[in-house]
Amino acid sequence: MTSATDPRRLPATTPRLIATDLDGTLLRDDKSVSDRTIAALAAAEEAGIEVFFVTGRPARWMDVVSAHVHGHGLAICANGAAVVDLHAGGELLEVRDLPRAAALEVVRTLRATAPGTSFAVELTTGIHYEPDYPPFHLDPGATIAPAEKLLHEEEPGEGAPVLKLLAHHPELLPDGFLTLARTAAGGVASFTRSSPTALLEVSGRGVSKASTLALCCAQRGISSDEVVAFGDMPNDVEMLTWAGTSYAMGNAHPDVIAAASGRTVANNDDGVAVIIEQILATRSEQQL
């Protein structure tokens, strides 16, 4: 793997779209967007390159970057389960839900194969969780109940689409839990993770950052070869594999490093901005 400054790892032509993860990638560890990164995003848009934020976050947690979306204003949230308009306050434009029957099958399977697992349910209307689920970014208005009740059509959200199911285990290793879940229930739903803990994110079968990004690009007549992507955790692997040029952050998970075509510096060192600046500098040289 070569460094961020190796010109052989830059796209051969100016990309039409940049797709970037947020936590651990575009955002620094304190969840801020540096001035350098803000300037780089604005410069990319000024050069005619669309920027898409592609994240596991739900729309209601996009305030950290909503001011830095130019042009289209769109973002892909919940690991591909939702396309939202940040210019319209996070309005849902498209939902690729996890069927409740599939979510219930995952709950049954993980209760049997990984006893001690607790669950949260992310609906289009908000998150709800079980009593034993760890207190992580939980909403004060959430309903607390067993997952089977949370997934009942008449329970919280009144049948609102399920964006993703979250499964936490207090003892298993994160990658081991992911492998176990994919082996036990991979035919029912899509499993990934982005947390340093054993917290799995479960989406509808075939739903991922990559598949939704591909749909958004197809609507714009943009091919995968015209996309540059950035990420740091397993939920970015498919997107980095799909994009014509991709970069693992300096702080990335080993699976992400293996999937990406290049590597940049860590999120705290503005790794996304470093590559954008190089792409734009190369573009300027080619136009001379």
Side-chain angles (χ1 to χ4, degrees):
M1 191 64 65
T2 54
S3 71
T5 56
D6 188 337
R8 293 174 297 173
R9 293 298 181 181
L10 293 175
T13 59
T14 302
R16 293 180 61 192
L17 188 143
I18 290 169
T20 178
D21 172 52
L22 295 182
D23 296 281
T25 300
L26 189 80
L27 303 181
R28 291 188 168 186
D29 288 347
D30 64 2
K31 307 305 179 186
S32 68
V33 185
S34 73
D35 290 342
R36 180 180 183 182
T37 296
I38 291 171
L41 295 175
E45 292 277 3
E46 180 67 23
I49 304 171
E50 292 192 69
V51 176
F52 262 72
F53 298 136
V54 188
T55 178
R57 287 178 174 234
R60 66 183 182 282
W61 292 351
M62 293 296 287
D63 56 306
V64 291
V65 293
S66 57
H68 309 305
V69 175
H70 305 270
H72 57 77
L74 303 183
I76 296 171
C77 295
N79 290 328
V83 179
V84 306
D85 184 348
L86 297 183
H87 288 337
E91 176 187 354
L92 292 172
L93 301 180
E94 183 175 349
V95 173
R96 304 180 69 200
D97 67 311
L98 169 64
R100 290 184 183 233
L104 284 167
E105 180 63 25
V106 170
V107 170
R108 286 192 290 267
T109 300
L110 292 186
R111 289 210 196 281
T113 57
T117 300
S118 60
F119 298 93
V121 180
E122 178 73 49
L123 305 176
T124 54
T125 53
I127 192 168
H128 307 280
Y129 53 95
E130 294 192 314
D132 293 336
Y133 188 79
F136 175 74
H137 288 304
L138 300 178
D139 292 0
T143 297
I144 303 174
E148 291 83 355
K149 184 175 182 179
L150 297 176
L151 289 166
H152 193 283
E153 292 288 351
E154 296 179 0
E155 287 304 321
E158 297 182 352
V162 178
L163 293 178
K164 62 181 177 178
L165 178 72
L166 299 166
H168 177 267
H169 199 281
E171 297 175 357
L172 293 176
L173 295 175
D175 287 333
F177 190 25
L178 178 57
T179 299
L180 182 154
R182 284 175 170 171
T183 300
V188 177
S190 297
F191 293 81
T192 191
R193 74 176 192 86
S194 59
S195 169
T197 65
L199 177 62
L200 304 185
E201 300 165 64
V202 189
S203 302
R205 192 174 179 184
V207 176
S208 68
K209 290 184 175 186
S211 61
T212 301
L213 177 62
L215 291 173
C216 291
C217 286
Q219 293 168 357
R220 289 161 172 72
I222 297 174
S223 69
S224 61
D225 289 342
E226 297 173 302
V227 177
V228 174
F230 299 87
D232 73 305
M233 287 296 281
N235 65 331
D236 297 314
V237 166
E238 292 94 339
M239 178 175 73
L240 298 181
T241 302
W242 177 82
T245 305
S246 58
Y247 295 91
M249 307 304 292
N251 48 290
H253 185 283
D255 289 353
V256 175
I257 296 172
S261 60
R263 193 172 184 186
T264 186
V265 295
N267 63 315
N268 284 334
D269 297 319
D270 302 321
V272 174
V274 167
I275 296 299
I276 292 176
E277 290 165 358
Q278 292 180 11
I279 289 171
L280 296 179
T282 299
R283 178 177 183 267
S284 295
E285 291 172 0
Q286 293 171 344
Q287 292 177 337
L288 293 177

